[in-house]
Each structure stands twice: as C-alpha cells, then as structure tokens.
Amino acid sequence: MGFIKSGKVKKIYDAGNNELEFVFTDNISVFDCIIPSMIPRKGETLCRTTAFWFEELKKNNIKNHFIELTAPDKMRVRKVDVIRDYDKINEKTLNYLIPLEVIARYYVAGSLYRKVKAGKISASWLGFEEDHKVKYGDRLPVPFIECTTKLEEYDRELSDEEAIKMAGLSKEEFKNIKSTIIKIDEIIAKTIEKNNLIHVDGKKEFAFDENRNLIVIDGFGTADEDRFWDMAEYEKGNIVELSKEFVRQHYIDIGFKEKLDKAREAGEEIPKIPPLPDDLIEKTSRLYIDMYEKLTGEVF
C-alpha cells in the first residue's frame, strides 16, 4: 500500500483497485494549524463516527465514497482525482474532487459571530430583519451556506460565483450541492435530537464520480467538522459547546489567533502554534469519546 500524503488529521494511502485507505490520527488542528499535542483515542472516534454517518447516507440513497471500515481507525474509500490546477476543471470533467469546503450554518456561532461583531456581516444578510441585534446562539431564519477553498495552504473564503468557477460547476450543480447538504443535515439533526443535541453548523466535501454524479467524501458530522450544543441547556438560555470550539477559544484567549491572522494578512511567516495544556488534552479526549456515543447512540 503506497503512502500518498498526510493531512491535518488523516494519513492517506493508495490501496489499489481504485481505492484509498484513510488512517485517522490523534492529531488535532485549529485555524488550519496542527497543534503539537496528541489527543488519545481521537482518531478512532472520528473514524467510527464518520463511518456511521456514511452508512446513514447509504440508507437514504445519498451517494458517497465509503466502502468499509478496515480497523477502528481506518477506512477504505473510492478514489477520485485531485486536480490542483483549477483551469483544468470544467463542466465535463469526471471523477474528481470538487476543490471546495462547504459550510452550512443554522445558528449564529463561531466565526460567523466574529464576523457579525466585526461588522463584516449584517443582520439582513443572514435573513433577519434589518434592525435585529444579532446575538450569539440566535437561530438563523434560513440556513447560511458559504464556501472556502479545499486545496490551498489555508482556507480562503469564496463568493458563490468564485466557488462555481473554481470548481467547474454549473449553477444547477452548485444548487444540488446546497440541497444535498440540507438533506444530510436534516438526517443528522433528526438522528441526534434523541440524545439531546442540536446540530449548529458543519462542513461537507464532495466529488463527482465517473458519471459526474455528486458524491459525499472525506468526513462530516463529527466534533472536528461540526458544532453541537446541548439541547436542554439551550432551551434554558445557556450555550454548552460540544465540539472542539473550546480548543479554538483557548488559542483566541492566549492571543495566538490574532498573531496568526496578522501574519497571514501581511504574508509573513506563520507563528508556531503552542501545545495544549495537559488538562485541555484530557478534556478534549473525553469530549471526542462522549460525542461518539451521543452522535451514534453506540458505546465506545
């Protein structure tokens, strides 16, 4: 089996027969930076949670690239081409990774809230009345879907027009991506509500197969790619984060995020991200195990 590359969380191998093997590591990343701390059992929880959701998609006739689990932290998936030169992608290209990350948001949280606070996004843009004062935790009147790059050094935000052009999509195909995301997130929300969870937002990735059918790839519905809140606490007016948001917040609180943003904007060398304190490593490991059980309904 030939090694292909290491991502922020996974190692990818060519398994032959037009298949890849994903090996989920215990790495953790925030803001496109890999933290120099390992989170015990994280890789296994992500792999098993991802496999659970792919099986749910199959039950609902949503095409995806998952084949099978080969170990608790490994899975086989169908291979598609990765085309880094956007000029070589068009509406006739087949069997390729769509070079976008597509984020669907249902509540005001995380980076969306930071943009609202900074005045970069208005209430009316989110579907609220113009005079609405947007608060953290507000449920959005309509889903807010946005795209970033997938294959660049760090994620770059794109307008819908830029995303369509970059990924070689027709407007109808882009519309289908959005409607597929909504359908998937409805499955997630319905599945997890019995375990007292709210699905706040999440990222999806896609490809086209050899017949240019849309397929879901990579991973989704985990504490890495998605944000979840405790439903009972939310109904009392409290926000209890059940994702790695507290890890992101740690690096915001210590000033790393601000330094990182300034360096990227200035085109300067990226600062090294410091390791997590031991107590946060333990808290994070417990979170991933707990979330596996709450998301899948299975015992870890």
Side-chain angles (χ1 to χ4, degrees):
M1 196 154 47
F3 175 75
I4 296 177
K5 60 171 280 192
S6 286
K8 292 190 284 287
V9 174
K10 297 189 295 292
K11 293 180 180 178
I12 303 174
Y13 295 83
D14 189 331
N17 196 31
N18 205 34
E19 295 178 4
L20 299 175
E21 182 153 279
F22 287 170
V23 178
F24 289 73
T25 72
D26 290 337
N27 290 343
I28 185 168
S29 69
V30 291
F31 312 121
D32 292 316
C33 297
I34 299 175
I35 300 169
S37 303
M38 304 298 278
I39 307 300
R41 311 303 292 273
K42 176 177 179 283
E44 181 180 344
T45 67
L46 290 186
C47 184
R48 290 169 63 185
T49 305
T50 298
F52 171 83
W53 288 124
F54 277 132
E55 293 291 359
E56 290 300 304
L57 294 197
K58 286 183 180 180
K59 292 175 190 174
N60 287 272
N61 298 312
I62 298 175
K63 294 180 181 293
N64 62 78
H65 72 163
F66 177 69
I67 299 173
E68 62 178 348
L69 278 178
T70 54
D73 61 348
K74 298 176 184 177
M75 68 169 60
R76 288 283 174 93
V77 301
R78 302 197 186 284
K79 185 179 181 181
V80 296
D81 296 329
V82 178
I83 304 172
R84 295 183 179 275
D85 184 348
Y86 304 139
D87 291 336
K88 293 181 178 177
I89 300 172
N90 57 49
E91 292 183 33
K92 294 183 179 179
T93 309
L94 304 176
N95 197 57
Y96 73 98
L97 179 147
I98 296 170
L100 304 173
E101 293 186 353
V102 191
I103 304 100
R105 305 181 187 277
Y106 303 93
Y107 294 79
V108 177
S111 63
L112 178 60
Y113 179 65
R114 291 192 285 272
K115 289 176 197 170
V116 170
K117 275 183 70 179
K120 295 178 180 178
I121 292 182
S122 67
S124 58
W125 196 7
L126 294 175
F128 294 107
E129 293 294 326
E130 221 169 288
D131 60 351
H132 176 78
K133 185 171 174 56
V134 181
K135 301 182 296 298
Y136 194 95
D138 277 352
R139 179 162 189 154
L140 294 167
V142 292
F144 184 76
I145 299 178
E146 56 187 339
C147 296
T148 67
T149 53
K150 160 70 179 169
L151 298 175
E152 299 180 4
E153 187 177 354
Y154 57 89
D155 298 344
R156 177 167 56 89
E157 293 179 9
L158 302 167
S159 68
D160 284 2
E161 292 73 21
E162 289 172 323
I164 288 168
K165 183 179 179 182
M166 174 185 291
L169 304 172
S170 68
K171 288 183 179 179
E172 192 58 36
E173 287 170 334
F174 190 61
K175 185 179 175 183
N176 185 35
I177 286 173
K178 288 187 173 184
S179 64
T180 301
I181 286 173
I182 299 297
K183 195 181 299 183
I184 293 169
D185 287 344
E186 285 172 351
I187 294 168
I188 292 175
K190 186 176 179 181
T191 303
I192 67 174
E193 68 180 8
K194 61 181 178 288
N195 288 325
N196 199 39
L197 295 180
I198 292 173
H199 184 225
V200 179
D201 55 44
K203 170 183 72 73
K204 308 287 186 300
E205 297 177 23
F206 297 88
F208 285 121
D209 67 11
E210 62 279 2
N211 297 310
R212 205 167 166 101
N213 294 312
L214 187 69
I215 56 174
V216 185
I217 63 166
D218 200 58
F220 66 95
T222 75
D224 253 18
E225 290 96 356
D226 295 54
R227 189 188 316 270
F228 303 93
W229 290 338
D230 182 289
M231 184 184 295
E233 288 297 324
Y234 181 81
E235 289 170 354
K236 296 176 191 173
N238 304 320
I239 303 290
V240 176
E241 299 277 359
L242 297 172
S243 66
K244 67 175 181 180
E245 181 62 23
F246 69 85
V247 178
R248 295 187 192 97
Q249 192 60 48
H250 167 73
Y251 288 102
I252 292 170
D253 292 344
I254 66 173
F256 174 79
K257 176 70 163 59
E258 185 179 359
K259 290 178 185 175
L260 178 68
D261 289 344
K262 285 180 178 176
R264 284 174 172 167
E265 287 169 11
E268 297 173 352
E269 185 178 349
I270 301 301
K272 289 185 178 179
I273 188 167
L276 277 172
D278 288 346
D279 62 325
L280 278 187
I281 290 174
E282 184 179 343
K283 180 180 177 181
T284 307
S285 178
R286 187 70 252 165
L287 167 82
Y288 279 92
I289 292 171
D290 287 347
M291 287 305 292
Y292 167 78
E293 295 186 337
K294 287 180 177 178
L295 292 168
T296 67
E298 299 171 0
V299 177
F300 185 73

